[in-house]
Amino acid sequence: MMSSDADDPGRLRLVVRRRIRARPERLFRAWTEAQEFVRWWGPRGVICERADIDLRVGGAYSIANRLDDGRLVTISGAFELIEPPGRIAYTWHVHPGAAPGSRVVVTFLPLEGDETEVVVTHERIASAEVAAEHKRGWVGCLDGLAAFAER
Amino acid sequence: MRPRAIRKPTAQTEHKLDLVFHALADRTRRTMLSRLMQGPASVSELAAPFAMTLPGVSKHIRVLERAKLVTRKPVGSVQQCALTPAAFESASVWLETHRSLWESALEGLARYAEDDGSR
């Protein structure tokens, strides 16, 4: 599912959902502990070489993605919200790249039978907000737009 | 850009979106865009990963040009391609790229968490 106002990129928002046969606690751990994260994070054609996760509000994370043509793309940002095991939010910047930064919110909704619905909401940060982030010292590094996504 | 109420896209916007989605609907062209997101490249550099003739590659580039995602201009003796600034701002490109990224990541998470038996 996705929604957009194509003429207003600042409001762009993407929602992706998936039902997974595991409990929220299990998935929260997989998402937030580096040694687990590197074992599943790998969009097609990408090897996750390294993940550093400083899991506290304001803490930084960094994910090194090796593309199948050898290039290295790093995704990084800072945590804005940490509510185990239900929700986590962080900023998202891709280097090298040229598009504005964005924000990711991941929600783990418990379902019956030890299943979970994982909801990823990824939104572009409006330019006014990006300016504010700059003031707070978060360099709005430019988002290379997941060169790896379609590889 | 100033926030405003979501309104029905104009025919012109619809036409632009058609061109963009048509351009994105092809894997070869998506790979070319991914390459160009890292910086400009010559036509032959863009062609390198594909078993394809230069005219074949050129045809793909023309589709990207029509969608206003890519520009081509001569630099010295070669044609150099680059993403247009508008391409980075294109809602369609952003949504398509990230949708694909997250679907594939959640697939990986499901495979990992459903297989390890420690629910």
Side-chain angles (χ1 to χ4, degrees), chain A residues 5-16:
Chain A
D5 177 349
D7 290 334
D8 191 351
R11 295 169 48 152
L12 262 188
R13 168 181 287 199
L14 165 73
V15 181
V16 179

Side-chain angles (χ1 to χ4, degrees), chain B residues 1 13 19 52 59 75 79 84 88 107 109 113-115:
Chain B
M1 200 171 290
T13 305
L19 290 176
M52 201 181 288
K59 213 165 132 186
V75 172
Q79 292 275 320
T84 62
F88 287 119
E107 172 70 34
L109 177 63
E114 290 179 353
D115 287 354

Side-chain angles (χ1 to χ4, degrees), chain B residues 65-86:
Chain B
E65 284 178 308
R66 267 205 301 279
K68 303 238 187 315
L69 296 172
V70 167
T71 54
R72 177 165 28 176
K73 61 172 184 192
V75 172
S77 59
V78 299
Q79 292 275 320
Q80 189 164 61
C81 300
L83 283 190
T84 62

Side-chain angles (χ1 to χ4, degrees), chain B:
Chain B
M1 200 171 290
R2 190 163 47 87
R4 62 181 160 231
I6 293 177
R7 54 179 171 70
K8 194 174 179 301
T10 61
Q12 198 190 356
T13 305
E14 291 279 20
H15 179 63
K16 278 200 298 207
L17 286 176
D18 285 348
L19 290 176
V20 169
F21 277 108
H22 172 64
L24 290 174
D26 181 89
R27 194 184 182 90
T28 301
R29 291 194 288 271
R30 286 198 299 269
T31 306
M32 290 175 166
L33 285 176
S34 296
R35 167 63 189 83
L36 291 174
M37 280 170 189
Q38 310 300 315
S42 69
V43 174
S44 47
E45 279 169 340
L46 280 184
F50 308 106
M52 201 181 288
T53 61
L54 278 181
V57 168
S58 226
K59 213 165 132 186
H60 282 299
I61 294 172
R62 273 202 300 281
V63 175
L64 293 169
E65 284 178 308
R66 267 205 301 279
K68 303 238 187 315
L69 296 172
V70 167
T71 54
R72 177 165 28 176
K73 61 172 184 192
V75 172
S77 59
V78 299
Q79 292 275 320
Q80 189 164 61
C81 300
L83 283 190
T84 62
F88 287 119
E89 292 302 319
S90 161
S92 316
V93 172
W94 192 89
L95 287 168
E96 186 62 25
T97 312
H98 285 85
R99 186 178 56 77
S100 168
L101 162 72
W102 286 113
E103 282 176 353
S104 142
L106 292 180
E107 172 70 34
L109 177 63
R111 221 180 300 126
Y112 174 67
E114 290 179 353
D115 287 354
D116 77 354
S118 65
R119 295 178 201 175

Side-chain angles (χ1 to χ4, degrees), chain A residues 50-91:
Chain A
R50 183 190 166 95
D52 294 293
I53 300 176
D54 179 11
L55 189 66
R56 57 192 171 84
V57 172
Y61 75 91
S62 162
I63 308 164
N65 301 274
R66 180 68 66 182
L67 310 193
D68 54 9
D69 64 3
R71 280 178 293 133
L72 185 71
V73 172
T74 305
I75 300 167
S76 65
F79 292 102
E80 295 187 329
L81 179 94
I82 299 165
E83 291 173 358
R87 201 145 61 121
I88 186 162
Y90 47 90
T91 57

